[in-house]
Amino acid sequence: MNVLQELKNRFAHVLSDYVDDPAPFAEMVKPAQDARFGDFQANCAMPLAKRNGVNPRDLATSLVEKLNVTDLCEPPEIAGPGFINLRLKDDVVEGNINQAYTDDRVGVSGVEQPLTYVIDFSSPNVAKPMHVGHLRSSVIGDSLQRTMRFLGHKVISDNHIGDWGTQFGMIIYGYKNFVDNAAYESDPVGELARLYRLVNTLSDYHSAVEKIPQVEKSLETLAEELSQMEADADPKDKKQKKVFKKKRSEIESAKDSIKSLQEKKAAVADDPELKELAIAHPEIARLAREETAKLHAGDAENQKLWDQFLPQCVEALQGIYDRLDVHFDHTFGESYYNPMLAEVVADLEAKGLATESDGAKCVFIEGNAAPFIVQKADGAYTYATTDLATVQYRLKEFGADKVLYVVDARQGEHFKLLMETIKLWLNTEIDLQHVSFGTVMGEDRRPFKTRSGDNVGLESLLDEAVRKAREIVASNDDAKTDSTENSAPELDEATRDEISQIVGIGGIKYADLHHNRESDYVFDWDKMLAKTGDTATYMQYAYARIQGIFRRGNIDVEQLRASSFRIHLDESAERALALKICRFGEALDTVASEYRPNLLTQYLFELAGVLTTFYGECPVLKAEDETTKQSRLKLIDLAGRVIKQGLDLLGIEVCEKM
RNA sequence: GCGCCAGUAGCUCAGUUGGAUAGAGCAGCGGACUUCUAAUCCGCAGGUCGGGGGUUCGAAUCCCUCCUGGCGUACCA
């Protein structure tokens, strides 16, 4: 039973005497924010009293008089300006915990009205190797997919990979001009990645050579403007100060951009081999774009190369997804929608939504300066076109009620335009949600950028995490002793390897998931691999400890579960643990309503904390009598199942021993 | 210029959408293994919630303004 929901219903019933629409006031029944206030608190009396022009405490009193919760709660108490504090009856908590124990879903009921969700996440560019920036979307999206599915929704996950854009033109150009056949034979994806980087570097070189004089010129102009302004300045004028500041920051950013352009130039100019290639390919950027255009236009040779490259790239991605234990129902890349794009644009034009502007076909949305460009002047389609076609497809083929885009916050404007355009274009109730997340920042608090030649690939990050986990697993196990203080490690090499995988990968995922996804994300190697505090390891350890107790006590878990002993709650630590376990469903509801897995990590961390407090106060195997022992065994068994299930919804595994 | 987002303890971050005395984890200090796993627990210390003004019973949260930083802003995705 969802107690919180039941209490809200009871309040709504009574509140209807005071207000036409009681729902928003019933929503003000919440878990108590402090244990001293009981288990739940209702905050509705104050705002309602204000609205009705009466005294809040009086209103709370009259609410409580009419409220019928005697079957669930102790008599409600009114505190402070009009808080209503509720404490569940012990036998209610006991009833719920015993019910949850026999439930496969550990007491979490499924949603009443399942919806069809399409979750679009990860979506890397196949031409570039994945790096840490791709982690957030993959990990958050996967957790949402697992959670929504567990709650009973129909979920279709789709990896909308970038397999059709400009970067493929670069690879094709690179392959035609620079391929090392031996390298391609032995490691095709590595060679393709090298070719991509090479073409990119050479293009950047030419563009830098062209731009440096321009930027230097504008820097000069800015500097002159500033000194002129300073000469004319009135020192008392505050507004001028601000203008100066602005100018200075413009100058700084011009300097930065010159510096970065010079680095790009030097990368080639200082390398005789690259220099030679650059001279031999002066038009490389334009020619690479042409290869893309040819591919899109159906050129046979480029199509053949694409057909050859794509499966190799996808296979390489699959290797990483397997390690991360992230899976998709579909991997329809951008290319999948290519045949539909012409029709999308034609339809938009027919409906008078797309118009031509500067040679490009655009949808203009009122209130937005930037247009939604659906076809470029050169005839190529954009990702706006693809995204429109994709929504149409998901609507038609999947009957999607909601589409979640787990994508970087920087694309907020794109999705805003997409949603507006869909509203105008298709007559549909489909709900598109941009589940955005913050930028990955470097340790210098500036956006994380892979330095050329020194980029932290996702693959090497995973390797490092597992390697560090292996060291900790080994040293911890080596330190174990038996009752006579002799060294007594209990894990063989293979088991150690397995645990290292689970702990290392889990740690990385958790580091990402426990942040509020909206915040910017500071990439910190040490923190990501930390094994103490609020980490996956803490919960994994709590789980392994429970299994350790079962082993030590020779407990047959199947027998335990089949036995007729009831869980009973006498100690306050037992009650606190039981109540926390019963709140798993509440935690999942908040995750689902805001698409925020960090609310689940928070719940699990608290659950594990309550569990360790319980250990301190309540011996299990050495409980005073058999009834208590069996009760506590069942309680920790259920706690372990909730931890395992919760971690699973985060995409994190557990192990029996650590 | 316009728009979006952020600023909370030394560091990294939560903060249940306006609720009660602002919380964790690291780092620091002090304790706890003859005890079901010390990858742990308990305690201490640490705060002008960027500044200022406003709204009300009540503000980290809402409004205005200023400061600082990030991002986006027409044919890359």
Side-chain angles (χ1 to χ4, degrees):
Chain A
M1 176 174 59
N2 187 330
V3 180
L4 180 58
Q5 192 54 52
E6 182 58 30
L7 287 173
K8 283 178 184 174
N9 294 344
R10 303 278 179 100
F11 268 87
H13 183 71
V14 177
L15 284 163
S16 61
D17 290 353
Y18 300 81
V19 62
D20 289 338
D21 179 16
F25 293 95
E27 281 305 307
M28 294 178 195
V29 181
K30 293 172 181 181
Q33 68 170 38
D34 189 309
R36 283 168 310 169
F37 305 140
D39 300 326
F40 296 92
Q41 63 182 57
N43 301 338
C44 51
M46 285 88 75
L48 191 56
K50 187 201 275 186
R51 180 195 155 116
N52 293 3
V54 296
N55 178 292
R57 279 195 75 107
D58 291 348
L59 188 124
T61 310
S62 109
L63 259 176
V64 166
E65 276 168 10
K66 294 183 189 175
L67 187 68
N68 181 10
V69 290
T70 45
D71 54 327
L72 296 174
C73 304
E74 304 293 341
E77 286 171 11
I78 296 166
F83 295 101
I84 301 169
N85 292 335
L86 302 163
R87 189 176 193 281
L88 291 179
K89 286 183 168 172
D90 290 348
D91 60 344
V92 170
V93 181
E94 240 176 64
N96 287 350
I97 196 79
N98 279 291
Q99 187 269 331
Y101 189 80
T102 56
D103 182 2
D104 284 344
R105 297 175 52 85
V106 291
V108 180
S109 43
V111 287
E112 285 168 20
Q113 293 176 318
L115 298 173
T116 299
Y117 279 83
V118 172
I119 308 186
D120 181 327
F121 67 99
S122 197
S123 311
N125 257 321
V126 297
K128 310 175 196 172
M130 278 172 105
H131 61 89
V132 288
H134 294 106
L135 202 57
R136 292 208 90 176
S137 178
S138 305
V139 166
I140 293 170
D142 184 49
S143 176
L144 291 176
Q145 133 167 258
R146 289 165 182 260
T147 305
M148 303 317 272
R149 208 168 264 146
F150 181 73
L151 287 174
H153 294 292
K154 182 175 180 196
V155 176
I156 297 152
S157 54
D158 184 13
N159 191 3
H160 194 72
I161 55 173
D163 61 359
W164 199 243
T166 312
Q167 79 282 3
F168 251 97
M170 295 169 106
I171 292 191
I172 290 171
Y173 185 90
Y175 186 82
K176 287 180 177 174
N177 292 279
F178 309 121
V179 71
D180 174 343
N181 280 310
Y184 183 74
E185 284 300 316
S186 63
D187 175 18
V189 176
E191 175 62 4
L192 292 179
R194 184 190 71 88
L195 292 171
Y196 169 77
R197 279 199 305 271
L198 178 60
V199 174
N200 211 18
T201 306
L202 297 177
S203 302
D204 282 352
Y205 167 80
H206 288 299
S207 140
V209 168
E210 192 183 324
K211 277 188 196 155
I212 285 172
Q214 293 168 15
V215 182
E216 278 173 345
K217 185 89 198 283
S218 77
L219 175 62
E220 226 170 87
T221 315
L222 284 168
E224 276 168 26
E225 282 170 7
L226 179 66
S227 57
Q228 188 61 45
M229 279 157 61
E230 279 172 336
D232 300 344
D234 173 357
K236 285 174 193 161
D237 191 334
K238 267 196 169 174
K239 276 193 175 167
Q240 281 191 348
K241 245 184 167 172
K242 201 183 157 187
V243 176
F244 286 172
K245 201 158 210 175
K246 178 91 186 157
K247 265 296 178 236
R248 289 200 191 95
S249 102
E250 276 175 27
I251 288 173
E252 282 311 306
S253 89
K255 281 182 182 165
D256 280 354
S257 98
I258 288 174
K259 198 178 156 205
S260 130
L261 289 170
Q262 277 169 342
E263 277 169 11
K264 284 176 176 170
K265 184 180 169 186
V268 172
D270 295 350
D271 183 320
E273 274 179 47
L274 286 176
K275 185 75 191 281
E276 199 177 312
L277 289 177
I279 292 166
H281 298 266
E283 293 281 292
I284 189 166
R286 185 179 61 76
L287 293 172
R289 275 199 300 275
E290 267 178 24
E291 297 294 356
T292 314
K294 276 162 72 183
L295 174 66
H296 288 192
D299 175 81
E301 186 188 5
N302 282 8
Q303 180 70 46
K304 197 179 151 220
L305 287 174
W306 187 88
D307 288 338
Q308 177 186 331
F309 297 155
L310 189 69
Q312 295 167 337
C313 295
V314 170
E315 198 181 322
L317 288 178
Q318 194 54 48
I320 292 204
Y321 290 128
D322 286 345
R323 288 187 72 182
L324 286 172
D325 193 20
V326 168
H327 307 280
F328 301 91
D329 297 313
H330 302 288
T331 301
F332 295 146
E334 293 169 334
S335 62
Y336 185 82
Y337 302 94
N338 186 49
M340 310 169 201
L341 302 183
E343 208 173 304
V344 168
V345 175
D347 196 35
L348 287 168
E349 285 186 295
K351 288 182 173 155
L353 293 170
T355 51
E356 198 164 313
S357 171
D358 287 349
K361 287 175 185 164
C362 310
V363 177
F364 289 91
I365 301 292
E366 218 184 307
N368 291 80
F372 204 44
I373 297 174
V374 294
Q375 190 169 18
K376 299 192 281 186
D378 67 4
Y381 301 107
T382 68
Y383 78 138
T385 333
T386 317
D387 277 358
L388 287 167
T390 306
V391 174
Q392 193 178 36
Y393 181 88
R394 287 170 176 169
L395 200 53
K396 211 168 89 190
E397 298 298 318
F398 300 139
D401 297 306
K402 288 173 185 279
V403 181
L404 307 185
Y405 296 92
V406 186
V407 180
D408 199 302
R410 283 179 281 204
Q411 292 191 37
E413 208 157 0
H414 168 74
F415 285 110
K416 194 175 156 206
L417 290 169
L418 176 66
M419 290 168 202
E420 293 295 327
T421 305
I422 289 290
K423 254 188 236 164
L424 297 171
W425 179 40
L426 303 173
N427 182 24
T428 169
E429 293 293 300
I430 196 168
D431 179 25
L432 309 181
Q433 292 281 340
H434 178 200
V435 179
S436 79
F437 54 83
T439 310
V440 179
M441 311 286 269
E443 284 173 48
D444 55 358
R445 292 216 131 266
R446 311 209 65 190
F448 186 87
K449 291 209 174 73
T450 54
R451 283 170 294 169
S452 50
D454 189 26
N455 45 358
V456 180
L458 196 44
E459 194 89 60
S460 61
L461 178 75
L462 301 184
D463 290 342
E464 180 67 4
V466 172
R467 193 189 61 75
K468 290 207 181 193
R470 185 68 163 78
E471 279 175 15
I472 294 167
V473 169
S475 75
N476 188 63
D477 192 42
D478 287 339
K480 285 177 188 165
T481 53
D482 61 16
S483 53
T484 55
E485 302 224 350
N486 292 317
S487 177
E490 53 177 4
L491 307 174
D492 58 35
E493 292 302 311
T495 310
R496 288 182 178 194
D497 285 342
E498 199 183 315
I499 294 169
S500 308
Q501 289 287 337
I502 291 170
V503 169
I505 305 288
I508 285 189
K509 288 188 178 187
Y510 192 90
D512 212 318
L513 290 167
H514 96 283
H515 291 100
N516 182 336
R517 62 176 166 76
E518 305 272 8
S519 330
D520 284 346
Y521 176 72
V522 175
F523 174 77
D524 180 341
W525 193 278
D526 291 333
K527 219 188 151 194
M528 198 165 230
L529 305 178
K531 295 291 176 289
T532 58
D534 186 2
T535 60
T537 313
Y538 182 74
M539 267 71 81
Q540 289 168 326
Y541 183 66
Y543 179 82
R545 225 175 137 179
I546 291 169
Q547 309 315 310
I549 291 174
F550 289 156
R551 279 194 303 276
R552 181 67 65 108
N554 290 315
I555 307 299
D556 180 331
V557 176
E558 293 309 311
Q559 263 178 33
L560 178 71
R561 290 181 188 170
S563 80
S564 59
F565 284 100
R566 274 178 66 81
I567 299 172
H568 52 95
L569 308 170
D570 301 319
E571 300 291 329
S572 68
E574 291 173 318
R575 187 185 188 279
L577 178 56
L579 190 62
K580 199 74 195 174
I581 289 170
C582 290
R583 290 192 151 160
F584 185 39
E586 288 171 27
L588 295 183
D589 286 343
T590 62
V591 172
S593 69
E594 298 179 41
Y595 311 121
R596 283 176 43 185
N598 72 307
L599 296 170
L600 179 53
T601 66
Q602 198 176 312
Y603 167 81
L604 290 174
F605 184 60
E606 286 164 9
L607 173 61
V610 173
L611 179 65
T612 48
T613 305
F614 163 84
Y615 283 140
E617 295 178 24
C618 302
V620 178
L621 295 177
K622 294 172 186 168
E624 51 267 35
D625 56 67
E626 189 61 17
T627 319
T628 306
K629 178 180 165 185
Q630 294 296 329
S631 164
R632 287 179 183 167
L633 280 169
K634 284 196 166 183
L635 195 53
I636 63 170
D637 178 29
L638 183 53
R641 283 160 60 199
V642 172
I643 290 172
K644 183 177 182 176
Q645 179 67 64
L647 286 176
D648 181 69
L649 297 181
L650 298 172
I652 295 170
E653 293 178 78
V654 293
C655 23
E656 303 300 302
K657 290 182 185 176
M658 280 176 76

